[in-house]
Amino acid sequence: MSARYAGALRSLDVTQGDRVLVQVDKSPYALLLYLATLRIGAIFVPLNTAYTPTEVAYFLGDAQPRLFVARPKTEDDLVDIARNTGAALLTFDTDGAGSLADAMANAEAVEEIARTDANDIASIIYTSGTTGRSKGAMLSHDNLASNALTLIDLWGFRETDVLLHALPIYHVHGLFVAVHCAMLCGISMRFLERFDPDEVMRQLPAITVMMGVPTFYTRLLQTSDFNQGSCERVRLFISGSAPLLEQTWHAFFEQTGQRILERYGMSEAIMIASNPLEGERIPGTVGYALADVTIRICDNENQPVAANETGVLQMRGPNVFKGYWQMPEKTASEFTDDGFFISGDMAKMDEHGRIQIVGREKDLVISGGLNIYPKEIEEAIDALDGVSETAIIGVPHADLGEGLVAVICPAAGFKIEPEAMITTLKPRLAGFKVPRKIFTVDRLPRNAMGKVQKNVLREKFSDAFDP
Ligand code: MCA
Ligand code: AMP
């Protein structure tokens, strides 16, 4: 099937190095489209299905794809946007139907697999940026392959495994970590359209491994009959993309007898560190650097700090990306002179190399495993009438880990209506980026340098969701 999809791509003049931008719902066919793109040496660029047409326009302009594959239901909204960038727009539904299928019917299958260099780019994964502009992390064939092979070994994948896949496939976690482990081992996946605890409960007796963000596990804990018996066959629950609370880890152990294996990753480096399969899995830690990855914890001068001291986590290895698409300066600023990528995560490492992520240097909120850079939302709100300035923060949220809060300082003579503002923002921003709570203040707290003190705001609104 992937050869037939590759034939369709070829017939549309997609060649090696071209970008194929894809915003489609999750389905097995979407995976075949991913494989077809790699098969002809083109670059797969997946987009979150929650992005609005305005947001998609940015990615089309930035990635300059030869082809944009979208859902039939969004075709009318996107056709002009695609035309402006010169990309062909084709549609693709969850059953494979759409104009891409029509192209496939008239095309010859491409049986051969394009020869690519290990450093050629296989995929660009957009990740939001501190400037408010998304950056495309370029991952090479070797980045993907080396990391997957390392994980298969590390997590002990074997022929008899069955993987429960309930993650979206527009991010590193669902598309690369989960799918590559399964496909390279030729094991079955139970491929759910989305995370639904009841459906997961139905699948549990048949599966042996599950991967998820912490919200999956907190939601499962609240599902009736989720206990030791229901996950008897499961040998491994893996968590990542956001911090797993120690209390969740312990509650999970008490309810099921299973020790969740927490690991740490980034779009720029796929998987970086993991608790061990054999050996102690310590809640609140992400374990050790993967076998072929070097991690160090450094101060602001890029000098390693002592064991158990806090610093910024830096890494080097075959998993580390090739840079940000068309942003050489940004890329250069995020690597040290000796080639380590600066993650922006604050961490500690003990004498044995065990790592604990303790916070973030970057101004980033992670809600339900999805990253939100405040700057983008602040700019969207500041552009609205009656707003003087805005600070976006993440505060504790029992279900999502962090919930998004807007703290707004109204312009003189204006009053902010939170409900009306949310309604205004919804068509402009993907749903997960719309603040769940809005508060108004007379002025934002600032330090002597004039920088907004988000820590003060996080403290002040810490019980916004969990009073
Ligand atoms: C959906 N909504 C959200 C989120 N997801 N709001 C905040 N945070 C979210 N994560 C909003 C929708 O806009 C909608 O709002 C309402 O919630 C219901 O939407 P629905 O789709 O039904 O939500 P859900 O099914 O409950 O989704 C929550 C979820 C999902 C299951 C946690 O977001 C999810 O699957 N997250 C996983 C993300 C992921 O794969 N991350 C990996 C990144 P309204 O009702 O107002 O319209 S890769 C990564 O981080 C690195 C590499 C790593 O280490 O893995
Ligand atoms: P993304 O840009 O979506 O790839 O998200 C990467 C970020 O998610 C990392 O830089 C971390 O801040 C965070 N992250 C991923 N896994 C973990 C984890 N296990 N614990 C804490 N933070 C994590």
Side-chain angles (χ1 to χ4, degrees), residues 388-402:
S388 167
E389 55 177 355
T390 309
I392 293 289
I393 51 171
V395 301
H397 187 290
D399 179 42
L400 298 167
E402 290 180 303

Side-chain angles (χ1 to χ4, degrees), residues 127 241-243 262-267 286 345 360 362 366 371:
T127 148
S241 307
E262 185 172 11
R263 63 26 168 214
Y264 161 73
M266 276 185 88
S267 300
V286 294
D345 288 313
R360 288 170 219 137
K362 49 196 175 190
I366 306 185
N371 285 9

Side-chain angles (χ1 to χ4, degrees), residues 403-441:
L404 204 63
V405 167
V407 184
I408 302 180
C409 180
F414 281 89
K415 191 170 179 301
I416 302 294
E417 300 290 351
E419 288 306 317
M421 181 162 283
I422 287 173
T423 308
T424 308
L425 290 172
K426 276 198 168 169
R428 302 176 194 202
L429 296 169
F432 68 92
K433 295 190 213 162
V434 176
R436 298 200 155 210
K437 291 253 165 112
I438 294 180
F439 297 100
T440 48
V441 291

Side-chain angles (χ1 to χ4, degrees), residues 167-168 171-173 194-195 213 215-216 219 240-241 263-267 271 367-370 400 426 431-432 436:
L167 289 154
H171 279 311
V172 159
H173 195 165
R194 53 190 291 278
F195 175 78
V213 297
T215 301
F216 287 13
R219 288 189 186 177
S241 307
R263 63 26 168 214
Y264 161 73
M266 276 185 88
S267 300
M271 291 300 97
S367 168
L370 291 173
L400 298 167
K426 276 198 168 169
F432 68 92
R436 298 200 155 210

